[in-house]
Amino acid sequence: MAWLHLVSYVFGGAFLANAVPHFVAGVMGEPFQSPFAKPPGQGLSSSTVNVLWGFLNLVIGYVLVCRIGDFDLKHTSDAISLGVGMLAIGLLSARLFGRFHGGDAPEGT
């Protein structure tokens, strides 16, 4: 069942990485896209909603990484699994949200 732990770490990494933009935008008092906006993922949600959504992602990521299996950063397979999840959601978010924030067409190009 060790492979199920690695899958848990991949999803845990995705949830932990997804917590960052929502929580940071919310703490800064800025609106940001969330699944609760209209239309979902495109419209803006309030800073309060984003703090709550970011915190929930942090809790889920913690559970998936720290409470399932025996995660150890010194084990290469554990670290790679976590990193793959973080990279995957990071690239997906960059592509999806870049169109709203100018990331797909940086200035000067």
Side-chain angles (χ1 to χ4, degrees):
M1 290 292 195
W3 69 273
L4 286 176
H5 296 164
L6 297 178
V7 171
S8 174
Y9 303 155
V10 169
F11 281 98
F15 276 99
L16 291 172
N18 193 47
V20 173
H22 293 286
F23 192 81
V24 170
V27 169
M28 291 175 51
E30 296 181 6
F32 191 71
Q33 286 81 15
S34 83
F36 309 106
K38 297 209 181 346
Q42 294 181 15
L44 297 175
S45 290
S46 71
S47 56
T48 303
V49 167
N50 276 290
V51 166
L52 293 171
W53 182 239
F55 188 76
L56 179 63
N57 275 265
L58 187 63
V59 169
I60 293 170
Y62 164 78
V63 169
L64 290 172
V65 173
C66 297
R67 305 300 292 170
I68 295 177
D70 189 22
F71 181 80
D72 185 356
L73 274 176
K74 293 181 182 179
H75 287 119
T76 305
S77 59
D78 292 357
I80 288 174
S81 297
L82 182 74
V84 164
M86 295 177 85
L87 180 62
I89 198 71
L91 290 172
L92 178 66
S93 296
R95 297 294 295 161
L96 291 175
F97 299 123
R99 61 188 168 148
F100 300 116
H101 300 280
D104 285 345
E107 293 180 30
T109 57

